[in-house]
Amino acid sequence: MSASDRYGDPAAQLAVLNDVLRLQLAHRSVRKFGPRDVTDDELAALVAAAQSAPTSSNLQPWSVVAVRDPGRKARLAALAGDQAFVAQAPLLLVWVADLGRARRLAARAGTEVAAADYLETTIIAFVDTSLAAQNAVLAARSLGLGSVFVGAIRNRPAEVAEELALPPHAVAAFGLAVGEPDPADTAGIKPRLPQDAVLHRETYDASGADAHIPAYDQRLAAYHGRYGLPGDWSGRVLARLRGPESMAGRHRLRETLERLGLPSR
Amino acid sequence: MSASDRYGDPAAQLAVLNDVLRLQLAHRSVRKFGPRDVTDDELAALVAAAQSAPTSSNLQPWSVVAVRDPGRKARLAALAGDQAFVAQAPLLLVWVADLGRARRLAARAGTEVAAADYLETTIIAFVDTSLAAQNAVLAARSLGLGSVFVGAIRNRPAEVAEELALPPHAVAAFGLAVGEPDPADTAGIKPRLPQDAVLHRETYDASGADAHIPAYDQRLAAYHGRYGLPGDWSGRVLARLRGPESMAGRHRLRETLERLGLPSR
């Protein structure tokens, strides 16, 4: 795997490369899975990788629920935008932004953790959950497993919390469907924005960066076209962010977080 | 590197292991750096690794500012809790949760992206920034470089935005100090919670998970003691989350985000 595939640009080359970078560059989301199970030993390795990620002040403000039961997977798939691959994956990991553990520590100690009420702490929980999950994604790939994030688990967070018996002060941040990639799957590596569009030196240069978007739009339109899909990158971003009606219920996340005990004030 | 170091528990073993997992398990934060620079080729590799991480709907809602200028690093270090290692690192990457790019696309197209006003979209930006940054952390390590996250970049986000000339609708999510680890640094690998404290099967089991915390508290107290530091894990978590006074100004993040153009409603 090379940088030119990653960027969809033959001119994109890295002067520094190794096996870890090659594994990262080759990332693609896997939504079609073969029949083999993910073993408990593999699950333990994914979680150990996740726990090895950095965490703010060693707070470790996350948990993960490993779901294998077909009925539960199907119910979660229905809650998460009815995406078949969620039920089809042998293992669904639901990553939980979890301030409940610290709240329970405080309750047992008869003290307060009022900082957990603030948006900053909710953000820490989501950030640390994400750092952990990304380590699991790469660990999975190193074991020959594929995965895909399921952001739609946030479409109906209260129902997901109920299905997983989450305690107060905890919310499903995202799902991760994991399994053996179906060898018949032809999905490719989606090119990313040119590096010059996202990397700034010393200070942010909006016009310099954005000048690289039109070439990327052409590349993405060609990539989408190969899979029979319309649209360039800019058009898809604008459609996805048009307004609350494009958010599948997630425009209510703030009030739902409050209801689940993450007031995020 | 083995799982027993990661967990500070000789009984913790993984039946599945490979070079990528070993690299992940060996993670530690590096806060003392040797004299050698991080090359531009290495920087390009870190950013390519970051861009290879998954991103929700391919939104790519982040940017990164590479800071090498000693004056700017020193000013950012002062803004980020006066932590000397921020200035000492040859390279400071400031990861930006960036909804500005999409807003500029919309402005140029004469359309709206009202979904960017919602907390859900702010969360997407922080999550995707985190997935990207964690790939960079591991890529750095694979190149023999160390790193440490700088959450304190959120202590004074408006001043940081000004220093980096960030456009509207963008906020520094966290810093990442990168450099060659000082070989004289004796910092160890901080043990994490036992896997049974964070991994749940099918549904969340709070009392089962929390039963593993006392043993971890003992391990952490022993680990801290080796570095002359007081406290077990629970005590430190409770102190860190006590209240707004323990947040170094970050209890104001919500109003600052609004001021920076991420209303997060």
Side-chain angles (χ1 to χ4, degrees):
Chain A
M1 183 47 46
S2 73
S4 57
D5 295 301
R6 182 77 274 163
Y7 291 105
D9 175 8
Q13 298 293 340
L14 291 179
V16 166
L17 207 55
N18 61 31
D19 287 347
V20 170
L21 285 161
R22 275 186 203 96
L23 197 71
Q24 293 177 317
L25 291 168
H27 172 79
R28 67 177 183 88
S29 291
V30 171
R31 293 184 179 82
K32 291 182 184 169
F33 300 97
R36 100 154 167 86
D37 217 342
V38 178
T39 69
D40 266 359
D41 286 342
E42 288 170 328
L43 172 60
L46 302 190
V47 175
Q51 290 190 268
S52 300
T55 163
S56 183
S57 304
N58 198 30
L59 290 175
Q60 307 180 64
W62 60 269
S63 296
V64 60
V65 184
V67 178
R68 299 181 186 274
D69 177 72
R72 183 166 289 107
K73 275 189 297 176
R75 290 190 296 275
L76 289 167
L79 291 172
D82 252 326
Q83 300 180 94
F85 61 83
V86 175
Q88 199 230 329
L91 175 66
L92 175 66
L93 296 176
V94 183
W95 298 86
V96 178
D98 189 357
L99 299 176
R101 190 187 296 121
R103 298 272 198 173
R104 296 192 298 274
L105 287 180
R108 289 195 288 270
T111 181
E112 296 281 319
V113 282
D117 286 346
Y118 288 84
L119 178 60
E120 159 68 11
T121 310
T122 300
I123 294 273
I124 283 181
F126 273 89
V127 165
D128 286 4
T129 305
S130 304
L131 301 177
Q134 180 56 22
N135 255 13
V137 164
L138 198 73
R141 176 128 192 124
S142 79
L143 297 171
L145 297 167
S147 69
V148 61
F149 276 111
V150 185
I153 207 94
R154 292 192 305 279
N155 289 6
R156 295 166 72 181
E159 289 94 329
V160 169
E162 200 179 341
E163 176 66 45
L164 300 176
L166 297 188
H169 317 294
V171 64
F174 39 73
L176 186 73
V178 184
E180 172 194 39
D182 180 343
D185 186 6
T186 57
I189 290 174
K190 193 177 286 180
R192 295 292 194 233
L193 282 165
Q195 192 161 117
D196 288 338
V198 303
L199 171 61
H200 303 257
R201 290 162 200 274
E202 299 302 330
T203 55
Y204 192 110
D205 172 14
S207 58
D210 290 0
H212 297 277
I213 293 178
Y216 180 60
D217 269 331
Q218 291 190 344
R219 259 172 235 146
L220 255 277
Y223 178 86
H224 290 147
R226 281 206 294 283
Y227 296 93
L229 300 168
D232 60 12
W233 182 70
S234 295
R236 288 180 159 237
V237 166
L238 294 177
R240 173 66 181 73
L241 295 178
R242 184 160 298 135
E245 72 285 358
S246 64
M247 295 177 75
R250 291 191 236 165
H251 62 291
R252 288 185 294 263
L253 182 65
R254 193 167 145 62
E255 64 187 73
T256 308
L257 282 179
E258 184 149 9
R259 202 144 36 99
L260 294 176
L262 297 107
S264 308
R265 65 188 179 100
Chain B
M1 183 49 47
S2 72
S4 56
D5 295 301
R6 182 76 275 164
Y7 291 105
D9 175 6
Q13 299 292 341
L14 291 179
V16 166
L17 206 55
N18 61 30
D19 287 349
V20 170
L21 285 160
R22 276 189 203 92
L23 197 71
Q24 293 178 317
L25 290 168
H27 171 79
R28 65 179 184 85
S29 292
V30 171
R31 293 182 179 84
K32 292 182 182 168
F33 300 98
R36 99 154 167 85
D37 219 342
V38 178
T39 68
D40 266 359
D41 287 341
E42 288 169 329
L43 172 60
L46 302 189
V47 175
Q51 290 189 266
S52 301
T55 164
S56 183
S57 305
N58 199 30
L59 289 175
Q60 307 181 62
W62 59 269
S63 295
V64 61
V65 184
V67 178
R68 299 180 186 274
D69 178 71
R72 182 167 288 107
K73 274 189 298 176
R75 291 191 297 276
L76 289 167
L79 291 172
D82 252 329
Q83 300 181 95
F85 62 83
V86 175
Q88 199 230 328
L91 174 66
L92 176 66
L93 296 177
V94 183
W95 299 86
V96 178
D98 190 355
L99 299 176
R101 188 185 297 120
R103 298 273 198 172
R104 297 192 299 275
L105 287 181
R108 288 195 288 271
T111 179
E112 296 281 320
V113 281
D117 287 348
Y118 287 83
L119 178 59
E120 160 68 12
T121 310
T122 300
I123 294 273
I124 283 180
F126 273 90
V127 165
D128 286 3
T129 306
S130 304
L131 301 178
Q134 180 56 22
N135 255 13
V137 164
L138 198 74
R141 177 128 193 127
S142 80
L143 297 170
L145 297 167
S147 69
V148 62
F149 277 111
V150 186
I153 209 92
R154 292 191 306 277
N155 289 5
R156 294 164 73 181
E159 289 94 328
V160 169
E162 201 179 341
E163 176 65 45
L164 299 177
L166 296 189
H169 316 294
V171 63
F174 39 73
L176 185 74
V178 184
E180 171 194 39
D182 180 343
D185 186 5
T186 57
I189 290 174
K190 194 176 287 182
R192 295 291 194 233
L193 281 164
Q195 191 161 116
D196 288 338
V198 304
L199 171 61
H200 302 258
R201 288 162 201 273
E202 300 301 331
T203 55
Y204 192 110
D205 171 14
S207 60
D210 289 2
H212 296 276
I213 294 179
Y216 179 61
D217 269 331
Q218 291 191 345
R219 260 172 234 146
L220 254 278
Y223 178 86
H224 291 146
R226 281 206 294 283
Y227 296 92
L229 301 168
D232 60 13
W233 182 70
S234 295
R236 289 180 158 236
V237 167
L238 294 176
R240 174 68 181 72
L241 295 179
R242 184 162 299 137
E245 73 284 358
S246 65
M247 295 177 74
R250 288 191 238 165
H251 62 292
R252 288 186 294 264
L253 182 65
R254 191 165 146 66
E255 64 188 71
T256 309
L257 282 180
E258 182 147 13
R259 203 143 36 99
L260 294 175
L262 298 107
S264 308
R265 68 189 176 98

